[in-house]
Amino acid sequence: MKMTRRFLGAAAIAFVSATGMAQAAEVKIALVVKSLGNGFFEAANKGAEEAAKEIGGVKIIYTGPTSTTAEGQIEVINSLIAQGVDAIAISANDPDAVVPALKKAAQRGIKVISWDSGVAPAGRILHLNPSSNELIGKMCLKLAADHLPDGKGDFAILSATTTSTNQNIWIEEMKKQLKDFPGLNLVTTVYGDDLADKSYREANGLLTSKPNVKVIVAPTTVGVLAASQAVKDAGKIGQVYVTGLGLPSEMAGAIKSGATKEFAIWNPIDLGYSATQIAYHLVKGDATGKPGTSVPAGRMGSIKVGEGGEAAMAEPFVYDAKNIDQFSKIF
Ligand code: RAM
């Protein structure tokens, strides 16, 4: 009798706590980044945390491989499936290689979106671009031209990995729009894999092997920082310029040293915030993410999903000596 009562008591407690847990069940959203240790993604994570706090009952799992590989991301995705997350929002190292793992996640009921660097449509519900790809390509060319006398001269691109979806699209856009910048001559494209040391070495290689290159355009925050350091260390400030997409907090030194006159980026905090909002509403089922619909995104308003399930956030903004101090405090 005593035993039974104790047993019933324990069962009742277990029941109460299980119900309590069910009521307070958190929505687990995994923010999968290209690699850990990249300031751009850390800023995006700040935005994700902001959205989670605002919504309430949302847990952000910020994760990614240590190096920018698809293999590393596949391992991460498989472990998130095992953990039973509710959503995966990924910035992909390869548009196709991660698709089978993401399909498996979707089959288990996990809502999958890509942001920043896209996944092929078969692997995700929608993709959130930071801005229009065409505009980003044009911006990169304009920045290169601005660093050259009369917009004329040779330039090289220092990219991230060879399989990175976003950089490859932007490079394609740059090549397409070169006709609008007749003074610009693209000499070569090299890849620093979004690793600081490899990007630095590749930039250095350009300085010695391509002496006519007057501007290095790096459409990656890791690459643009490393290249500006390489130019400074080689004593080539004023002879070779570096520009592209950078974080104000990381590029303040380059603006001050004169290695860079101006560069651009969108707000990574807003991007992480928007991706989290979208993932949350897909989990809740109050948005489908289908082309032609909109997804609510808190303070970012409502994000329209267009053709191919692609959405875009905002326009890139240009940073220079006049505004760098103000923005370097933010991201
Ligand atoms: C790096 C990453 C990221 C890209 C930015 C501009 O941090 O490659 O994907 O959007 O640069």
Side-chain angles (χ1 to χ4, degrees):
M1 185 63 192
K2 220 176 174 187
M3 281 289 290
T4 319
R5 212 179 284 146
R6 206 181 286 154
F7 172 76
L8 282 176
I13 289 164
F15 176 75
V16 168
S17 51
T19 345
M21 258 159 53
Q23 277 164 1
E26 279 175 322
V27 172
K28 287 188 236 116
I29 299 175
L31 202 65
V32 180
V33 300
K34 284 178 170 177
S35 69
L36 298 174
N38 177 337
F40 175 85
F41 293 118
E42 280 157 16
N45 186 35
K46 270 196 209 164
E49 287 292 349
E50 180 199 336
K53 207 167 156 204
E54 195 181 296
I55 299 164
V58 172
K59 184 177 175 205
I60 302 296
I61 301 164
Y62 177 74
T63 179
T66 48
S67 196
T68 45
T69 65
E71 293 72 29
Q73 286 192 317
I74 292 166
E75 269 179 42
V76 167
I77 295 163
N78 284 330
S79 120
L80 292 169
I81 296 172
Q83 282 175 54
V85 297
D86 299 291
I88 293 177
I90 182 172
S91 167
N93 285 320
D94 186 307
D96 304 308
V98 290
V99 167
L102 292 175
K103 273 189 169 168
K104 191 166 107 194
Q107 279 155 12
R108 312 275 161 93
I110 299 171
K111 302 290 180 196
V112 179
I113 65 165
S114 54
W115 60 285
D116 181 56
S117 187
V119 167
R124 47 73 175 168
I125 299 170
L126 63 82
H127 171 65
L128 176 65
N129 284 302
S131 177
S132 120
N133 291 319
E134 197 184 329
L135 212 63
I136 297 169
K138 186 175 171 186
M139 175 63 82
C140 287
L141 292 178
K142 187 193 170 291
L143 290 169
D146 284 355
H147 282 82
L148 287 163
D150 303 321
K152 287 193 191 117
D154 286 1
F155 79 105
I157 297 174
L158 168 63
S159 188
T161 61
T162 53
T163 57
S164 174
T165 324
N166 51 351
Q167 273 88 13
N168 281 348
I169 293 174
W170 300 333
I171 292 170
E172 251 342 279
E173 279 298 337
M174 280 191 242
K175 288 182 179 163
K176 250 196 247 167
Q177 298 180 55
L178 264 176
K179 58 177 188 334
D180 303 329
F181 293 81
L184 289 182
N185 179 36
L186 174 60
V187 173
T188 187
T189 301
V190 295
Y191 298 86
D193 294 351
D194 266 356
L195 301 172
D197 52 351
K198 180 152 194 261
S199 303
Y200 184 89
R201 282 200 305 275
E202 291 293 340
N204 245 331
L206 286 174
L207 296 179
T208 46
S209 70
K210 306 283 179 211
N212 290 332
V213 162
K214 296 289 173 262
V215 181
I216 298 173
V217 177
T220 132
T221 59
V222 179
V224 81
L225 176 64
S228 66
Q229 276 163 355
V231 164
K232 186 174 175 228
D233 294 350
K236 298 219 159 145
I237 290 177
Q239 296 162 47
V240 180
Y241 290 100
V242 176
T243 189
L245 305 173
L247 286 180
S249 56
E250 294 180 348
M251 290 297 285
I255 292 282
K256 303 230 153 107
S257 75
T260 299
K261 289 187 190 169
E262 51 173 10
F263 62 94
I265 198 84
W266 40 90
N267 185 327
I269 300 176
D270 289 350
L271 190 60
Y273 175 93
S274 305
T276 304
Q277 285 278 358
I278 293 171
Y280 174 77
H281 288 289
L282 294 177
V283 170
K284 283 288 144 186
D286 55 22
T288 63
K290 290 205 173 114
T293 66
S294 290
V295 187
R299 65 169 169 80
M300 296 301 289
S302 137
I303 296 180
K304 278 202 193 100
V305 187
E307 237 174 83
E310 298 219 16
M313 200 187 59
E315 287 183 14
F317 191 82
V318 176
Y319 304 88
D320 57 19
K322 292 191 291 299
N323 61 14
I324 190 78
D325 287 335
Q326 182 195 345
F327 285 96
S328 62
K329 293 188 196 94
I330 311 173
F331 54 81

PDB file of all heavy atoms in Angstrom, residues 9 155 157 180 266:
ATOM      1  N   GLY A   9       2.434   8.690  -6.312  1.00  0.00           N
ATOM      2  CA  GLY A   9       2.947  10.044  -6.129  1.00  0.00           C
ATOM      3  C   GLY A   9       4.005  10.358  -7.164  1.00  0.00           C
ATOM      4  O   GLY A   9       3.965  11.397  -7.818  1.00  0.00           O
ATOM      5  N   PHE A 155      42.038  44.363 -62.299  1.00  0.00           N
ATOM      6  CA  PHE A 155      41.676  43.939 -60.941  1.00  0.00           C
ATOM      7  C   PHE A 155      41.583  42.423 -60.865  1.00  0.00           C
ATOM      8  O   PHE A 155      41.477  41.746 -61.899  1.00  0.00           O
ATOM      9  CB  PHE A 155      40.381  44.615 -60.466  1.00  0.00           C
ATOM     10  CG  PHE A 155      39.099  44.018 -61.007  1.00  0.00           C
ATOM     11  CD1 PHE A 155      38.289  43.217 -60.190  1.00  0.00           C
ATOM     12  CD2 PHE A 155      38.683  44.254 -62.305  1.00  0.00           C
ATOM     13  CE1 PHE A 155      37.104  42.666 -60.669  1.00  0.00           C
ATOM     14  CE2 PHE A 155      37.500  43.711 -62.800  1.00  0.00           C
ATOM     15  CZ  PHE A 155      36.707  42.922 -61.987  1.00  0.00           C
ATOM     16  N   ILE A 157      39.917  39.058 -58.351  1.00  0.00           N
ATOM     17  CA  ILE A 157      38.932  38.708 -57.322  1.00  0.00           C
ATOM     18  C   ILE A 157      39.563  37.708 -56.358  1.00  0.00           C
ATOM     19  O   ILE A 157      40.198  36.732 -56.790  1.00  0.00           O
ATOM     20  CB  ILE A 157      37.653  38.108 -57.957  1.00  0.00           C
ATOM     21  CG1 ILE A 157      36.958  39.145 -58.849  1.00  0.00           C
ATOM     22  CG2 ILE A 157      36.694  37.596 -56.881  1.00  0.00           C
ATOM     23  CD1 ILE A 157      35.773  38.618 -59.638  1.00  0.00           C
ATOM     24  N   ASP A 180      29.327  46.997 -68.506  1.00  0.00           N
ATOM     25  CA  ASP A 180      28.923  48.345 -68.073  1.00  0.00           C
ATOM     26  C   ASP A 180      30.085  49.119 -67.438  1.00  0.00           C
ATOM     27  O   ASP A 180      29.922  50.277 -67.066  1.00  0.00           O
ATOM     28  CB  ASP A 180      27.770  48.253 -67.057  1.00  0.00           C
ATOM     29  CG  ASP A 180      26.576  47.499 -67.626  1.00  0.00           C
ATOM     30  OD1 ASP A 180      26.369  47.582 -68.852  1.00  0.00           O
ATOM     31  OD2 ASP A 180      25.880  46.812 -66.853  1.00  0.00           O
ATOM     32  N   TRP A 266      25.644  44.484 -46.218  1.00  0.00           N
ATOM     33  CA  TRP A 266      24.302  44.656 -45.653  1.00  0.00           C
ATOM     34  C   TRP A 266      24.456  44.432 -44.152  1.00  0.00           C
ATOM     35  O   TRP A 266      25.553  44.130 -43.682  1.00  0.00           O
ATOM     36  CB  TRP A 266      23.341  43.626 -46.267  1.00  0.00           C
ATOM     37  CG  TRP A 266      24.030  42.315 -46.392  1.00  0.00           C
ATOM     38  CD1 TRP A 266      24.083  41.315 -45.475  1.00  0.00           C
ATOM     39  CD2 TRP A 266      24.871  41.910 -47.485  1.00  0.00           C
ATOM     40  NE1 TRP A 266      24.893  40.316 -45.926  1.00  0.00           N
ATOM     41  CE2 TRP A 266      25.387  40.642 -47.145  1.00  0.00           C
ATOM     42  CE3 TRP A 266      25.228  42.485 -48.700  1.00  0.00           C
ATOM     43  CZ2 TRP A 266      26.247  39.948 -47.984  1.00  0.00           C
ATOM     44  CZ3 TRP A 266      26.091  41.784 -49.533  1.00  0.00           C
ATOM     45  CH2 TRP A 266      26.579  40.532 -49.173  1.00  0.00           C
TER      46      TRP A 266
END
